[in-house]
């Protein structure tokens, strides 16, 4: 259906603070233990925004910068796709609490941070990227939707594009309806053509075949509970450096088959 | 870019349900914004409310999706024979070859706003009947529409604040150019909720009277709601009189979360990109449907951007005075107002605007002008510095 070339890759999640930590765990070479995710506010944000940055901004920016760095690219030149099931869930919960209270005067900052594209807005401000940027949601299919959008954006723009797929957790009471146990994010720089920076070719197509799973129970639990972690079978394949085919979960009756070659 | 044909379209807003009331309101320069007490809001607010949503019953098999946003989606789909046109396309191409790409800013968050008021006093739990996935989650409306038509192809919600349902035209265009699908349902749905009414009020961006785009006295938006749907197909077999999507331009301000770049640099980049994709020059554009929210800074930035690129002759107006600012649905609603402008040769005069801001040097239409049009441009700009401009053209003109 569509072939694109991977130039940069990142993963940040529980027990996996960067790709170097994640790769051997995805391959089962080191034991995986889910641990609280360590996030720091990125230095490239202006000081006021840095102080206010919540999990969504810290996570999305960290995986974006790591993928851009891995590709040896310039963030300002990359059209970008932010894909997330809930965006900044902590901020959403805080707004809902205020709106259900006797004093509904919401904070202006909380309000403008409530838009789904707030992390993308901060990314633009921090990296000075004026390229096209979109922000998506497809519930559990959010990673697949982001991958398709980034691939078609790269083909259309004729230049590499950045995917930042990330999910954060709601506190209770919404946690009970959307139990995302940990924040997790995946970054990819995807090019429409093979270049010296290409790490792998990814050929995408739709399929109705069953999706791949993770052998490790904890990793499989992450895959099933965090939309961005639906990517784990693909990331395991990329960590192995071996060519092969993976099927990752997308929508009902429409999953994504990804043929990975050198 | 490869042009695409709008083979069917429909829109619902405070002006009414379907094409006919919109065309009449544009011709008669009539708006639908009223001042009222809405839901449990503690003050009077000017809103562009869609009539009859409380009475809409979702199709039985989709009852779990029940919320104001999906009620508006269903009401919107039911107008102008749109459902039948989609079903014909599905029969022609197959359920897996028709995509669903919709814009929404707040989705069905109103249902969570209400549910938070009804939390269990002991446990804090939400009422058992609250369905987060099918109502509040940003994907809800695309999920609803995909199931409504029993589709099996790609689907997504674009949520980039007030540019959301303009950008979906770009998503569909790229998916079709890559050969992944043959047709797409695009558009957007956004509904009134407490988040936006109290949120824009906290930023002091809500006008106490119906909004006055590009007026010297303008002082904020009027929040509206709306649903817009278009079916996009290949331009092969286009007949004279068909409406074509010919250009999509997208950019980011990289400037501020809730204020536009003062000179409208991002807006200029989006308009220039759309022109380039359409293979047109500024002089080819007969009418611009402005984003024109009626906040002091938005209109100033957009006015500056339009003047820089187009000079001050191109007729332009905002239709936010007609519909209110339908936020995540605005790009779609205004894209389809552009389709009507082309089809029927109508350039809508602004509603509400009395005396133009002398600092905004553009040819803002204070009254409706009827004459044939060939190419029109629609602007949509959102929080986070997200910009999108679309160009539509009349085939055979």
């Amino acid at each position: 259906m569509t072939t694109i070339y991977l130039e940069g890759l990142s993963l940040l999640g529980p027990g996996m603070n960067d790709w170097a930590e994640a790769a051997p765990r995805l391959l089962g070479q080191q034991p995986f233990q889910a641990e609280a995710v360590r996030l720091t506010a990125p230095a490239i944000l202006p000081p006021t925004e840095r102080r206010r940055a919540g999990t969504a901004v810290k996570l999305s920016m960290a995986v974006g910068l790591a993928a851009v760095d891995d590709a040896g690219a310039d963030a300002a030149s990359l059209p970008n796709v932010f894909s997330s099931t809930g965006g900044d869930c902590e901020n959403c919960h805080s707004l809902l609490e205020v709106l259900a209270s006797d004093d509904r005067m919401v904070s202006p900052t909380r309000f403008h941070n409530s838009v789904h594209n707030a992390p993308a807005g901060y990314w633009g401000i921090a990296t000075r990227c004026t390229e096209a940027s979109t922000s998506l949601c497809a519930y559990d299919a959010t990673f697949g939707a982001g991958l398709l959008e980034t691939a078609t954006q790269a083909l259309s723009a004729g230049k590499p594009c950045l995917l930042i797929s990330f999910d954060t957790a709601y506190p209770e009471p919404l946690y009970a309806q959307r139990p995302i146990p940990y924040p997790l994010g995946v970054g990819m720089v995807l090019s429409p053509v093979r270049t010296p920076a290409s790490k792998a070719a990814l050929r995408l197509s739709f399929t109705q075949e069953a999706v791949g799973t993770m052998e490790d129970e904890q990793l499989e639990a992450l895959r099933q509970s965090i939309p961005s972690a639906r990517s784990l079978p693909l990331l395991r394949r990329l960590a192995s450096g071996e060519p092969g085919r993976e099927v990752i979960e997308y929508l009902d009756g429409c999953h994504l088959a990804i043929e990975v070659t050198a | 870019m490869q042009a695409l044909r709008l083979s069917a379209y429909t829109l619902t807003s405070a002006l009414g349900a379907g094409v006919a009331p919109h065309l009449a309101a544009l011709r008669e320069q009539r708006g639908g914004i009223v001042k009222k007490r809405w839901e449990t809001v503690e003050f009077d607010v000017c809103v562009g409310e869609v009539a009859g949503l409380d009475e809409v019953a979702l199709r039985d098999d989709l009852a779990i999706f029940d919320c104001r946003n999906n009620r508006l989606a269903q009401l919107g789909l039911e107008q102008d024979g749109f459902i039948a046109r989609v079903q014909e396309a599905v029969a022609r191409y197959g359920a897996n070859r028709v995509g669903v790409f919709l814009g929404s800013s707040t989705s069905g968050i109103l249902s969570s706003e209400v549910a938070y008021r009804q939390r269990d006093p002991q446990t804090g739990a939400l009422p058992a009947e609250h369905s987060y996935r099918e109502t509040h989650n940003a994907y809800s409306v695309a999920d609803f529409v995909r199931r409504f038509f029993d589709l099996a192809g790609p689907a997504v919600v674009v949520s980039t604040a007030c540019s959301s349902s303009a950008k979906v035209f770009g998503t569909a265009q790229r998916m079709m150019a890559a050969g992944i699908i043959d047709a797409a349902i695009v558009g957007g749905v956004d509904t009134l909720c407490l988040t936006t009414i109290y949120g824009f009020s906290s930023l002091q961006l809500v006008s106490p009277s119906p909004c006055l785009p590009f007026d010297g006295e303008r002082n904020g938006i009027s929040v509206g709601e709306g649903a817009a749907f278009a079916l996009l197909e290949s331009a092969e077999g286009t007949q004279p009189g068909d409406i074509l999507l010919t250009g999509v331009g997208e950019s980011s301000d990289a400037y501020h979360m809730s204020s536009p770049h003062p000179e409208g640099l991002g807006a200029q980049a989006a308009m220039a990109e759309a022109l380039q994709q359409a293979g047109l020059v500024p002089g080819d554009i007969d009418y611009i449907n402005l984003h024109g929210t009626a906040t002091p800074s938005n209109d100033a930035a957009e006015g500056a951007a339009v003047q820089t690129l187009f000079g001050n002759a191109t007729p332009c107006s905002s239709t936010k005075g007609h519909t209110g600012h339908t936020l995540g649905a605005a790009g779609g609603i205004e894209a389809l107002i552009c389709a009507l402008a082309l089809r029927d040769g109508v350039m809508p005069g602004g509603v509400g605007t009395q005396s133009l801001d002398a600092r905004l040097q553009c040819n803002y239409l204070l009254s409706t002008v009827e004459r044939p049009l060939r190419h029109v441009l629609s602007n949509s700009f959102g929080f986070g510095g997200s910009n999108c401009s679309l160009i539509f053209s009349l085939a055979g003109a």
Side-chain angles (χ1 to χ4, degrees):
Chain A
M1 182 167 83
T2 294
T3 301
I4 37 157
Y5 299 87
L6 179 76
E7 296 195 341
L9 180 62
S10 66
L11 170 60
L12 204 172
M16 300 179 285
N17 285 295
D18 56 28
W19 181 248
E21 270 186 40
R25 288 169 174 81
L26 296 175
L27 292 168
Q29 295 164 349
Q30 283 182 28
F32 172 73
Q33 187 58 49
E35 286 166 10
V37 177
R38 293 196 299 268
L39 291 169
T40 51
I44 60 167
L45 263 181
T48 321
E49 275 78 19
R50 203 182 313 152
R51 271 197 307 279
R52 290 177 182 159
T55 304
V57 169
K58 288 178 187 167
L59 173 65
S60 59
M61 211 161 275
V63 293
L65 290 173
V68 170
D69 184 52
D70 188 42
D74 172 15
S77 72
L78 300 174
N80 48 77
V81 173
F82 282 66
S83 204
S84 179
T85 181
D88 188 338
C89 294
E90 295 161 358
N91 190 71
C92 177
H93 166 75
S94 300
L95 269 181
L96 289 169
E97 284 221 297
V98 170
L99 290 171
S101 73
D102 292 335
D103 179 7
R104 292 178 172 182
M105 284 304 118
V106 302
S107 129
T109 305
R110 280 231 182 276
F111 175 59
H112 73 58
N113 282 346
S114 75
V115 294
H116 195 65
N117 60 316
Y122 286 115
W123 174 263
I125 291 167
T127 63
R128 301 183 183 279
C129 177
T130 57
E131 297 285 336
S133 170
T134 196
S135 295
L136 309 177
C137 171
Y139 201 69
D140 282 345
T142 287
F143 176 78
L147 183 62
L148 275 175
E149 177 79 18
T150 313
T152 51
Q153 172 70 269
L155 289 167
S156 202
K159 61 178 179 180
C161 294
L162 172 65
L163 167 64
I164 297 175
S165 180
F166 71 98
D167 297 302
T168 67
Y170 284 109
E172 291 289 3
L174 276 172
Y175 182 84
Q177 294 220 347
R178 188 52 162 155
I180 290 177
Y182 297 97
L184 183 142
V186 179
M188 289 184 171
V189 176
L190 298 172
S191 167
V193 291
R194 191 186 292 279
T195 71
S198 301
K199 298 173 193 295
L202 310 183
R203 185 171 174 280
L204 311 182
S205 58
F206 293 137
T207 179
Q208 295 186 3
E209 293 162 68
V211 300
T213 56
M214 304 301 287
E215 296 82 5
D216 181 277
E217 271 179 34
Q218 286 192 66
L219 284 171
E220 177 58 13
L222 290 186
R223 190 190 70 79
Q224 290 185 23
S225 57
I226 311 174
S228 292
R230 299 295 201 281
S231 63
L232 289 181
L234 170 64
L235 299 185
R236 177 187 54 198
R237 168 68 56 193
L238 293 168
S240 77
E242 299 292 325
R245 187 168 179 279
E246 298 293 340
V247 175
I248 61 166
E249 185 180 326
Y250 179 47
L251 293 163
D252 298 345
C254 182
H255 297 309
L256 271 176
I258 302 160
E259 192 87 44
V260 179
T261 54
Chain B
M1 65 168 243
Q2 201 80 21
L4 297 177
R5 181 166 51 99
L6 277 68
S7 53
Y9 53 88
T10 184
L11 70 172
T12 292
S13 74
L15 298 178
V19 161
H22 283 84
L23 188 61
L26 296 175
R27 285 208 159 113
E28 295 156 19
Q29 224 174 327
R30 191 161 37 75
I33 300 171
V34 295
K35 191 162 193 164
K36 65 180 293 187
R37 282 289 165 111
W38 189 80
E39 220 263 339
T40 56
V41 176
E42 299 143 304
F43 45 87
D44 287 348
V45 60
C46 292
V47 288
E49 186 182 20
V50 173
L53 290 183
D54 291 339
E55 287 76 52
V56 172
L58 293 192
R59 224 170 62 187
D60 281 351
D61 58 317
L62 298 170
I64 194 168
F65 285 89
D66 189 32
C67 64
R68 187 175 184 86
N69 212 52
N70 291 328
R71 288 181 181 203
L72 176 50
Q74 182 173 302
L75 178 67
L77 289 170
E78 286 168 348
Q79 310 307 315
D80 297 313
F82 188 77
I83 294 171
R85 301 300 297 278
V86 171
Q87 286 167 340
E88 288 161 24
V90 175
R92 209 155 46 241
Y93 301 120
N96 61 342
R97 298 288 298 177
V98 179
V100 178
F101 312 116
L102 299 175
S104 188
S105 182
T106 52
S107 187
I109 198 169
L110 176 62
S111 58
S112 280
E113 292 169 357
V114 172
Y116 265 60
R117 299 201 294 252
Q118 299 168 345
R119 273 173 295 178
D120 185 295
Q122 257 69 57
T123 65
L126 297 171
E129 65 274 16
H130 182 55
S131 320
Y132 164 82
R133 174 181 184 158
E134 292 82 3
T135 63
H136 170 172
N137 184 262
Y139 179 59
S140 161
V141 71
D143 197 3
F144 174 73
V145 170
R146 190 172 183 266
R147 289 171 201 269
F148 191 93
F149 290 109
D150 231 348
L151 296 173
V156 79
V157 161
V158 172
S159 190
T160 54
C162 307
S163 64
S164 302
S165 57
K167 290 172 74 74
V168 293
F169 285 83
T171 292
Q173 193 271 331
R174 293 186 286 268
M175 288 270 187
M176 289 170 75
I180 294 170
I181 49 170
D182 298 311
I185 300 166
V186 297
V189 186
D190 234 355
T191 29
L192 297 175
C193 60
L194 302 182
T195 299
T196 51
I197 291 173
Y198 281 95
F200 282 111
S201 296
S202 78
L203 287 162
Q204 298 181 307
L205 292 177
V206 177
S207 174
S209 53
C211 66
L212 311 170
F214 276 64
D215 194 296
E217 302 290 310
R218 69 185 181 278
N219 55 2
I221 69 169
S222 301
V223 182
E225 59 190 350
F229 293 103
L231 179 64
L232 294 180
E233 297 182 62
S234 141
E236 270 175 47
T238 293
Q239 304 289 321
D242 282 347
I243 308 298
L244 300 174
L245 170 71
T246 49
V248 181
E250 295 170 75
S251 74
S252 304
D253 271 6
Y255 175 74
H256 189 269
M257 279 307 292
S258 56
S259 307
H261 186 282
E263 291 151 49
L265 289 186
Q268 281 180 49
M271 290 188 282
E273 167 75 13
L275 285 166
Q276 199 246 326
Q277 280 207 11
L280 297 174
V281 296
D284 293 326
I285 297 297
D286 296 315
Y287 165 73
I288 300 171
N289 187 285
L290 299 162
H291 188 53
T293 61
T295 73
S297 63
N298 281 359
D299 289 5
E302 186 176 16
V306 167
Q307 198 199 353
T308 303
L309 213 56
F310 290 89
N312 51 16
T314 307
C316 57
S317 63
S318 162
T319 44
K320 298 288 197 293
H322 298 72
T323 60
H325 190 348
T326 61
L327 305 174
I333 291 278
E334 289 157 29
L336 299 185
I337 286 175
C338 285
L340 297 181
L342 284 167
R343 191 191 74 175
D344 294 294
V346 181
M347 294 190 282
V351 167
T353 309
Q354 296 297 321
S355 69
L356 287 173
D357 185 341
R359 293 164 297 181
L360 306 180
Q361 300 284 319
C362 53
N363 182 14
Y364 191 94
L365 299 174
L366 290 177
S367 45
T368 296
V369 177
E370 303 213 19
R371 70 161 181 251
L373 306 170
R374 289 172 308 163
H375 306 289
V376 302
L377 181 141
S378 176
N379 279 339
S380 300
F381 310 130
F383 271 11
S386 175
N387 308 305
C388 184
S389 297
L390 302 174
I391 295 176
F392 295 94
S393 305
L394 186 67

